[in-house]
Amino acid sequence: MRRILIVGAGQSGLQLALGLQAKGYDVTVMSNRTPDEIRSGRVMSTQMMFRTALRYERELGLNFWEGLAPRALGLGFSVAGTVPGVPGVQRPVDWIGRLDGYAQSVDQRVKMAGWLDAFAERGGRLVVHAAAVSDLDFLAARHDLVLVAAGKGELVSLFRRDPARSPYTTPQRALALSYVHGLGPRAEHPEYDAARCTIVPGVGELWVIPTLTTSGRADILFWEGLPGGPVDVFQDVEGPGEHLTRTLELLEWFVPWEYGRATAVELTDPGATLAGRYVPAVRDPVGRLPSGGLVLGVGDAVVVNDPLTVQGANSAAKCAASYLASIVERGDEPFDAEWMRTAFERYWASARHVTRWTNTMLGPRSPHIRALIDAAARLQPVADRIANGFDDPSDFDDYFYDAASAGTYMSEAKVPAAGGT
């Protein structure tokens, strides 16, 4: 029985650990927290998982909360701006695309704690310890394969940044999120749940995401602000109450239609807020330990995108599924550096589409992208196609990135290519 060590207890690490466990591997997981510490801790993310990622969980029997989490049947976009003759901030663009399969969000405090419990109950070895490079140096010789699925801390230094695949060297957004109860329904399509993004030109973006948290159904209010801009105001907040107050003030100023349904919200728990920023990066997947041993990076350890396109949990699930297949197919052959790079490139074949799309959306939006977003408000198939691109970002290659392709697509869809947002 091949022995595998996985360091990190997030989406990619635990999904992979439970998948390998089901295949009969001897798996050890190192987590820096116990399940109870995760449950009672601070929120970790703004996850929203689409059809393909949810299918990977379902195939492994890990969809423990599928019947409890709200089902987002659509994905909407709005653009804040002015309308001639109408005072105040308006929505000159507002649309919702129907998803081919519902999306769901489960607070990672709920999911990771539950998956850790399941891993231990099924006979897995759980070691609660904040691993350092020296720990891996000692443990590598005792395992056939060591995988690092921790996207922060000292271990990330094992994986060198790949400048050819990493165009940004500084954070592109200042992030601030709140999990809340009490958000009212949208006036448009109140009959079903949807995740919604509002673009505020020159300011940033706001996501509103239905989720399941430790206290039941909730919504995530998630600001992505341009660094140094009017939304980048969360560095000095004193406690979660002030964090929520600033969040609501920003809603009132920049997206009053969302503020109107948020006047009665309250935080779900004392750990329901988070703020920060990080640099998107792709890293060399093979890390070399001081003793010469090798480790393979997983998920955010080697491909980390800004959460603007809510792809983090999806990418982690796809990475885990890809690595699981590569490990099983390897049989009894050694997990050498050549195999590690091949396994990563297999995953990168899909991950590159997420990185390209996210990095594009982080930058200034070109006229043809603004025209596509405008067009979706006038033609439902365009809205539906953009929405379903969140499940399969490779589809954006066909029409999203250059003006000629976008113009051809809009012309075929009988939507004027002119326009701007």
Side-chain angles (χ1 to χ4, degrees):
M1 184 183 297
R2 308 204 79 177
R3 301 187 68 204
I4 295 180
L5 171 64
I6 298 176
V7 182
Q11 175 77 39
S12 58
L14 284 179
Q15 181 181 316
L16 181 55
L18 286 154
L20 289 168
Q21 187 182 51
K23 297 288 187 181
Y25 289 81
D26 180 353
V27 184
T28 298
V29 168
M30 294 187 74
S31 169
N32 63 350
R33 293 185 291 171
T34 67
D36 285 343
E37 287 171 339
I38 293 172
R39 284 190 190 93
S40 61
R42 184 175 292 277
V43 293
M44 298 179 281
S45 66
T46 54
Q47 68 292 314
M48 170 59 79
M49 299 186 71
F50 297 91
R51 182 174 58 171
T52 300
L54 291 174
R55 174 171 57 82
Y56 288 137
E57 293 187 351
R58 198 176 299 122
E59 289 172 348
L60 293 174
L62 302 178
N63 55 327
F64 302 160
W65 305 274
E66 188 168 7
L68 300 173
R71 298 185 175 189
L73 304 180
L75 192 145
F77 268 84
S78 302
V79 179
T82 58
V83 175
V86 181
V89 180
Q90 303 297 322
R91 285 175 289 175
V93 176
D94 186 49
W95 54 263
I96 187 166
R98 289 298 295 252
L99 295 169
D100 291 339
Y102 58 79
Q104 288 187 304
S105 170
V106 177
D107 184 342
Q108 291 198 337
R109 295 177 298 180
V110 173
K111 182 186 287 187
M112 300 315 142
W115 279 3
L116 270 177
D117 283 338
F119 175 75
E121 290 166 1
R122 296 173 184 180
R125 188 179 300 106
L126 172 61
V127 178
V128 180
H129 177 69
V133 171
S134 58
D135 296 311
L136 301 194
D137 216 21
F138 173 78
L139 293 167
R142 292 161 174 76
H143 294 83
D144 296 290
L145 175 63
V146 176
L147 300 124
V148 175
K152 300 176 183 177
E154 175 188 337
L155 298 185
V156 176
S157 66
L158 291 167
F159 309 105
R160 292 178 290 104
R161 176 178 173 273
D162 182 347
R165 292 171 169 174
S166 307
Y168 297 117
T169 57
T170 59
Q172 298 301 295
R173 293 293 189 275
L175 315 174
L177 64 93
S178 304
Y179 280 54
V180 299
H181 289 312
L183 187 69
R186 260 261 191 147
E188 306 85 1
H189 299 292
E191 71 278 8
Y192 65 85
D193 277 310
R196 297 178 182 272
C197 177
T198 298
I199 298 171
V200 185
V203 174
E205 299 83 17
L206 171 75
W207 275 99
V208 181
I209 300 172
T211 192
L212 176 72
T213 188
T214 54
S215 52
R217 159 67 199 250
D219 290 276
I220 304 170
L221 305 176
F222 177 41
W223 277 109
E224 285 245 346
L226 295 174
V231 174
D232 187 6
V233 293
F234 290 88
Q235 301 96 318
D236 62 343
V237 294
E238 296 183 1
E242 184 177 346
H243 182 109
L244 179 60
T245 297
R246 293 194 185 186
T247 297
L248 296 177
E249 288 173 348
L250 294 170
L251 262 63
E252 186 175 16
W253 293 336
F254 296 113
V255 284
W257 54 92
E258 298 291 6
Y259 176 75
R261 63 192 187 113
T263 55
V265 300
E266 59 183 12
L267 293 174
T268 59
D269 62 90
T273 62
L274 188 67
R277 64 190 76 202
Y278 53 82
V279 182
V282 178
R283 302 184 180 99
D284 186 324
V286 181
R288 186 171 295 276
L289 299 166
S291 64
L294 301 178
V295 297
L296 174 61
V298 184
D300 281 356
V302 286
V303 181
V304 57
N305 295 298
D306 189 279
L308 174 60
T309 54
V310 289
Q311 291 296 297
N314 297 273
S315 294
K318 292 173 182 178
C319 182
S322 180
Y323 277 22
L324 176 61
S326 293
I327 291 168
V328 171
E329 291 168 9
R330 190 62 171 170
D332 294 326
E333 294 296 310
F335 298 114
D336 54 21
E338 181 180 359
W339 173 84
M340 290 181 177
R341 295 193 186 282
T342 299
F344 174 77
E345 291 299 327
R346 180 180 186 174
Y347 164 58
W348 178 247
S350 65
R352 65 185 179 87
H353 298 291
V354 176
T355 296
R356 182 185 185 189
W357 174 45
T358 305
N359 287 343
T360 297
M361 294 300 288
L362 285 171
R365 294 180 185 102
S366 60
H368 77 270
I369 291 178
R370 299 197 302 270
L372 279 167
I373 294 173
D374 286 356
R378 302 192 295 274
L379 194 68
Q380 192 61 42
V382 178
D384 294 346
R385 186 173 186 182
I386 293 174
N388 284 287
F390 281 74
D391 178 52
D392 179 15
S394 68
D395 185 54
F396 290 118
D397 282 1
D398 292 339
Y399 70 97
F400 198 80
Y401 297 115
D402 68 85
S405 297
T408 298
Y409 172 56
M410 288 186 285
S411 176
E412 291 173 349
K414 303 188 187 309
V415 176
T421 303

